[in-house]
Amino acid sequence: PCLAMGMLDAAARKALQAQRYSFFRVLRVGDALVPVEAPTSSEAKRFYSRQVDQVKTDIEAAADALFTQHVAALPSECQRAPGHLQLACLALASQRELLKSAESDMFLLANANKVRAVVAGGLGVFAPPTGDRPFAVPAMWIPNRISMIMTGSLWFPSRKTAMLESMLDNWEADLGQTFELRRLDPAPSRRMTRCFYSEFFAAEDEPHLTPIFTAMHEVTFAGVPGFSFEEEGDRTYTFRFE
């Protein structure tokens, strides 16, 4: 979105563009928009492909509109905030546009849970089409474990404490000012008392999308011995290290 571009430095603009590109590369629109009759002829397949491309275009336009609507509320000095906003806008626009498109007589009807499963997949999260709690693949397990091995923190408690403090500080900086965390015992545990994604989807009256992002929070420190994640309700999450 043009407003995001104006707020960011060159590296952040490139990251924002890459984020959008990656999302649409992974988003499986066809899983939500299943033709009533499977296209068999070349012409029918091309027509279906054009319909899918149009839906992606509609999603982009809807995401841009949402971004423009919310961007003024972001902290102007926070370089991370536009990335969080764009990701939330892409998820919400996809949910709404796919549901709307699925109402066409061309496609089998898809309910909100099925569409949420497709949207979650675009973010690397598995959300059962039954509406059950989503979960994310612990992609950070290997990088986190390698870091602990390379620093010796897997075996020496003093090194583990120092490494985790550094890891948590970097994580807080990456989240930016649209999230709030406070320190807990035992160090370096944190409690997230404000989550941008929770607030965004609550404001848009789409709270059923929040668990997708909660699942992403949950696996942030996968692979760190003693780490546990607690969802405490009221948009509060605890990242505990024993």
Side-chain angles (χ1 to χ4, degrees):
C2 57
L3 288 174
M5 296 298 105
M7 294 173 62
L8 304 174
D9 59 28
R13 287 198 299 271
K14 187 174 181 179
L16 203 64
Q17 292 165 348
Q19 179 192 73
R20 176 177 286 220
Y21 174 79
S22 297
F23 178 80
F24 281 107
R25 284 274 295 178
V26 178
L27 184 69
R28 296 175 64 88
V29 171
D31 286 357
L33 303 181
V34 179
V36 174
E37 295 183 6
T40 54
S41 68
S42 297
E43 182 179 351
K45 290 177 180 178
R46 286 194 297 269
F47 178 76
Y48 173 69
S49 179
R50 288 196 297 271
Q51 295 301 306
V52 169
D53 289 342
Q54 182 59 53
V55 171
K56 289 183 178 180
T57 298
D58 293 342
I59 291 171
E60 285 207 81
D64 286 346
L66 284 166
F67 192 99
T68 301
Q69 176 185 341
H70 289 275
V71 68
L74 298 182
S76 59
E77 69 280 9
C78 182
Q79 291 284 308
R80 301 294 186 181
H84 295 304
L85 176 58
Q86 176 174 258
L87 202 58
C89 290
L90 288 170
L92 180 54
S94 298
Q95 180 76 16
R96 289 175 173 172
E97 291 300 318
L98 287 173
L99 267 178
K100 183 170 66 176
S101 297
E103 294 176 355
S104 167
D105 293 339
M106 292 176 51
F107 306 115
L108 297 176
L109 188 63
N111 63 25
N113 288 330
K114 180 178 179 180
V115 170
R116 187 184 74 152
V118 174
V119 174
L123 297 167
V125 174
F126 177 74
T130 56
D132 292 337
R133 185 174 183 269
F135 61 88
V137 175
M140 291 304 298
W141 196 98
I142 292 177
N144 288 341
R145 186 55 66 98
I146 289 175
S147 294
M148 299 197 72
I149 292 173
M150 297 297 291
T151 59
S153 57
L154 193 61
W155 302 283
F156 301 103
S158 60
R159 293 187 181 182
K160 178 181 177 181
T161 300
M163 192 211 75
L164 288 179
E165 287 287 2
S166 176
M167 184 183 290
L168 269 290
D169 288 343
N170 291 335
W171 174 61
E172 285 195 54
D174 187 61
L175 287 175
Q177 298 171 20
T178 54
F179 295 78
E180 293 179 4
L181 298 104
R182 64 183 180 86
R183 294 175 179 267
L184 296 177
D185 290 328
S189 302
R190 299 288 197 278
R191 176 164 293 144
M192 182 180 288
T193 57
R194 181 189 177 200
C195 172
F196 170 79
Y197 299 115
S198 296
E199 292 182 351
F200 176 86
F201 292 118
E204 287 289 335
D205 197 28
E206 302 274 4
H208 58 287
L209 296 179
T210 300
I212 296 173
F213 293 83
T214 302
M216 295 164 67
H217 287 321
E218 185 171 1
V219 298
T220 302
F221 301 105
V224 176
F227 168 68
S228 62
F229 176 85
E230 302 168 22
E231 182 180 356
E232 301 181 12
D234 196 28
R235 309 178 201 170
T236 301
Y237 312 100
T238 296
F239 301 77
R240 192 176 303 280
F241 298 87
E242 300 287 356

